[in-house]
């Protein structure tokens, strides 16, 4: 312990910041930008003043909770930039982004606002995602799997629109399109050859878990806690992002 109790004070501040971030992630995932700061403070078990000491505004707190997820998408896209089958990988990546983001209201709000030019998650983060996505798009086009007249601006608009439509589809699929149908239609519209993508059965989708980083299907765990990542690469990627977030 240092003179004046500086170390304990700093430890308490770090703990409170972590509590606020954790509570904010869950609250924003459920309600998006509409959630009040008072609700986040209540979930974190701290006062509103503590929240404001660490984050001067709700927008600043919102940014802190979604930057790591967008960086994971960006890192995954960069890792896929040199694959041998760029067309199928491009479509799988798009589908994974929609599937993972559609369950997260915060990400949906962030991508929609960024697409409209009203929000930048953090300096360079949105542009980095666009750049990595554009590389995948260009390589898929060069391979002849994606129509050549589509640019990154149109692709982002399609992605945001697809997110909005997927969130509007009831989980049971009753009374309208089945979950995943809008994503399949978006991908089919981008292909050079017109095809109709077959969807997985609803029983398979309900029982399937996905990797939190790349969206790949995970095998059901027979014992212990369910897996969160498909392998060591995604686990390390998530760890690196958490470390970057912790240092900021």
């Amino acid at each position: 312990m240092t003179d004046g109790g500086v170390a304990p004070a700093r430890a308490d501040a770090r703990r409170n910041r972590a509590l606020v971030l954790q509570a904010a992630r869950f609250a924003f995932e459920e309600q998006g930008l509409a959630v009040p700061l008072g609700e986040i403070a209540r979930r974190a078990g701290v006062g509103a003043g503590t929240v404001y000491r660490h984050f001067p505004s709700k927008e600043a707190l919102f940014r802190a909770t979604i930057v790591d997820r967008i960086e994971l998408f960006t890192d995954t896209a960069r890792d896929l930039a040199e694959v041998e089958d760029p067309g199928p990988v491009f479509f799988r990546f798009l589908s994974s982004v929609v599937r993972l983001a559609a369950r997260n209201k915060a990400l949906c709000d962030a991508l929609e606002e960024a697409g409209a030019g009203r929000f930048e998650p953090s300096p360079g983060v949105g542009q980095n995602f666009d750049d990595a996505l554009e590389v995948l798009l260009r390589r898929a086009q060069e391979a002849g799997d994606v129509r050549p007249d589509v640019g990154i601006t149109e692709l982002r608009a399609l992605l945001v629109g697809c997110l909005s439509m997927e969130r509007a589809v009831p989980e049971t699929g009753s009374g309208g399109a089945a979950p995943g149908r809008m994503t399949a239609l978006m991908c089919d519209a981008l292909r050079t050859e017109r095809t109709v993508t077959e969807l997985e059965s609803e029983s398979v989708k309900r029982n399937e878990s996905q990797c939190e980083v790349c969206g790949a299907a995970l095998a059901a765990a027979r014992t212990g806690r369910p897996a969160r990542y498909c392998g060591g690469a995604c686990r390390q990627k998530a760890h690196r992002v958490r470390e970057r977030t912790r240092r900021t």
Side-chain angles (χ1 to χ4, degrees), residues 86-88 90-91 135-147:
F90 169 76
F91 289 115
V135 170
L136 297 186
L137 170 64
R138 186 176 67 251
R139 292 201 69 233
Q141 289 172 326
E142 291 170 352
D145 293 315
V146 174
R147 49 192 293 180

Side-chain angles (χ1 to χ4, degrees), residues 26-225:
F26 287 117
F28 283 133
E29 281 180 15
E30 296 167 6
Q31 303 178 44
L33 279 164
V35 64
L37 273 180
E39 169 66 10
I40 293 172
R42 184 190 66 78
R43 293 189 183 204
V46 300
T50 299
V51 177
Y52 280 110
R53 275 197 297 274
H54 293 284
F55 303 96
S57 67
K58 184 167 71 171
E59 186 175 272
L61 178 55
F62 182 74
R63 283 194 177 97
T65 63
I66 54 94
V67 162
D68 58 347
R69 173 55 68 186
I70 296 177
E71 286 178 339
L72 280 175
F73 287 154
T74 302
D75 288 346
T76 301
R78 287 170 174 166
D79 289 345
L80 298 172
E82 301 299 327
V83 294
E84 295 181 356
D85 52 345
V89 166
F90 169 76
F91 289 115
R92 286 199 296 270
F93 178 75
L94 277 187
S95 299
S96 295
V97 170
V98 173
R99 184 169 61 248
L100 292 169
R103 300 196 297 260
N104 186 327
K105 186 67 166 61
L107 269 175
C108 287
D109 284 356
L111 291 173
E112 288 175 6
E113 293 294 305
R118 295 189 296 265
F119 177 74
E120 171 64 28
S122 186
V125 170
Q127 187 60 53
N128 289 342
F129 175 70
D130 279 356
D131 292 344
L133 181 59
E134 189 170 18
V135 170
L136 297 186
L137 170 64
R138 186 176 67 251
R139 292 201 69 233
Q141 289 172 326
E142 291 170 352
D145 293 315
V146 174
R147 49 192 293 180
D149 60 335
V150 175
I152 185 62
T153 301
E154 292 170 313
L155 180 59
R156 277 295 300 270
L158 283 171
L159 187 61
V160 169
C162 187
L163 275 172
S164 178
M165 289 186 291
E166 286 288 1
R167 286 190 63 84
V169 173
E171 291 187 4
T172 60
S174 60
R181 177 63 175 169
M182 297 299 113
T183 306
L185 291 174
M186 173 185 69
C187 290
D188 289 340
L190 292 167
R191 299 181 196 275
T192 51
E193 295 183 4
R194 294 294 181 265
T195 60
V196 178
T197 302
E198 293 185 5
L199 299 177
E200 299 174 15
S201 68
E202 288 305 302
S203 61
V204 171
K205 285 195 173 187
R206 281 194 294 269
N207 296 325
E208 184 184 79
S209 297
Q210 287 90 31
C211 172
E212 293 184 6
V213 174
C214 69
L218 300 176
R222 298 192 179 189
T223 60
R225 297 176 61 185

